Amino acid sequence: MVDVGGVPFGGRGITVIAGPCSVEGKEVILEAAGIAKRAGAHVLRGGGFKPRTSPYAFQGLGKEGLRLLKAAGDSVGMPVISEIMDAAQLPAFLDHDIDCLQVGARNMQNFTLLKAIARAGKPVMLKRGLSATIEEWLQAAEYLAAFGSEGIILCERGIRTFETATRNTLDLTVLPLMRQWTHLPIIVDPSHAAGIPALIPPLSRASIAAGADGVAVECHPRPKEARSDGAQALLPGELSGLIADARIMAAAVGRSFVAPVRV
Ligand code: PEP
Ligand code: MN
């Protein structure tokens, strides 16, 4: 089991990470934190350093984004997770006590980064690379373990295939397979896999049914105003519905929904 600021990943529980793609400002991240908390999510997400395909797209608020994220998490009593793109950013993550370091798909095999953060004493969520095989993904997790990381969470977020109807292709095969190959907790990010809000609730249910230890989803109070990934952001009501279903699915497969921390 991996402990993220008091929230367990793995074991019998089902855990939910929710929040906007990026931290856009103080008010909006506070609003998003309230939405995630009321819906029943456990961990608040939000990127400060954003890996954008276009160099002209919003790159995130950087260190200030991490500060705002942590303050928003504290305001509702939720631990926080954010993506680290470069070892040079590590002091900012430690200064702001970010509870879990996210390694994004684009950096899964950035071995210098993996080695540097493995020694930091923080849990790491390792997303599957855009075109990474399961074996390569596990080897990347092995880098973290070999260099001192104790809390590693895997996150399936869809892979590149010939299909263009969805942003990526969600590979649910990894769930039963990883149960055979590793003891590490594994969660699913159906937001980046599908890229379409309507697909995210059914894919979340399917993920839990297939053995995921939780899901990570993007939400926004006003998706149309989002500065990144607005097209896939869930509305507050959609997030609440997804989490209500996650509770039902958890019970159906003999798991329990982790009790959210009370504030
Ligand atoms: C994200 O979580 O916002 C993100 C960029 O995800 P991925 O690395 O899976 O593309
Ligand atoms: Mn995103």
Side-chain angles (χ1 to χ4, degrees), residues 21 45 50 192 218 229 232:
C21 182
R45 65 151 287 151
K50 293 302 303 176
H192 290 88
E218 289 186 347
D229 282 351
Q232 70 191 28

Side-chain angles (χ1 to χ4, degrees), residues 69-216:
L69 176 70
K70 185 66 185 183
D74 284 349
S75 76
V76 292
M78 289 171 83
V80 297
I81 179 168
S82 199
E83 176 167 354
I84 182 163
M85 290 171 58
D86 190 300
Q89 296 161 357
L90 188 56
F93 282 75
L94 298 177
D95 284 352
H96 292 301
D97 196 21
I98 301 303
D99 300 279
C100 186
L101 307 175
Q102 172 173 326
V103 175
R106 290 155 193 80
N107 271 312
M108 186 202 83
Q109 285 187 312
N110 182 339
F111 300 121
T112 315
L113 176 66
L114 297 178
K115 287 183 202 175
I117 66 174
R119 304 185 191 102
K122 291 278 184 189
V124 177
M125 183 177 88
L126 179 66
K127 296 187 95 173
R128 185 178 183 180
L130 305 171
S131 301
T133 65
I134 297 170
E135 177 67 31
E136 288 163 342
W137 188 15
L138 271 181
Q139 292 283 0
E142 198 61 35
Y143 260 89
L144 289 168
F147 284 84
S149 187
E150 283 174 13
I152 304 167
I153 302 163
L154 299 170
C155 178
E156 159 66 32
R157 46 78 72 203
I159 49 173
R160 276 278 165 88
T161 67
F162 54 82
E163 184 56 69
T164 54
T166 49
R167 185 171 177 179
N168 289 290
T169 296
L170 182 58
D171 181 10
L172 290 182
T173 317
V174 301
L175 296 164
L177 205 56
M178 284 297 195
R179 283 278 174 263
Q180 294 179 9
W181 288 10
T182 172
H183 62 282
L184 296 177
I186 179 164
I187 68 167
V188 171
D189 171 350
S191 295
H192 290 88
I196 301 168
L199 306 189
I200 297 170
L203 293 178
S204 298
R205 298 194 294 270
S207 299
I208 296 170
D213 295 304
V215 293

Side-chain angles (χ1 to χ4, degrees), residues 17-89:
I17 299 173
C21 182
S22 49
V23 179
E24 300 164 349
K26 183 177 173 191
E27 297 308 322
V28 65
I29 191 65
L30 281 171
E31 228 180 315
I35 289 163
K37 179 74 183 183
R38 282 190 295 279
H42 306 92
V43 177
L44 179 67
R45 65 151 287 151
F49 299 93
K50 293 302 303 176
R52 304 305 301 282
T53 301
S54 164
Y56 307 113
F58 176 56
Q59 303 284 306
L61 300 178
K63 188 169 180 180
E64 175 65 2
L66 300 185
R67 188 181 72 78
L68 296 174
L69 176 70
K70 185 66 185 183
D74 284 349
S75 76
V76 292
M78 289 171 83
V80 297
I81 179 168
S82 199
E83 176 167 354
I84 182 163
M85 290 171 58
D86 190 300
Q89 296 161 357

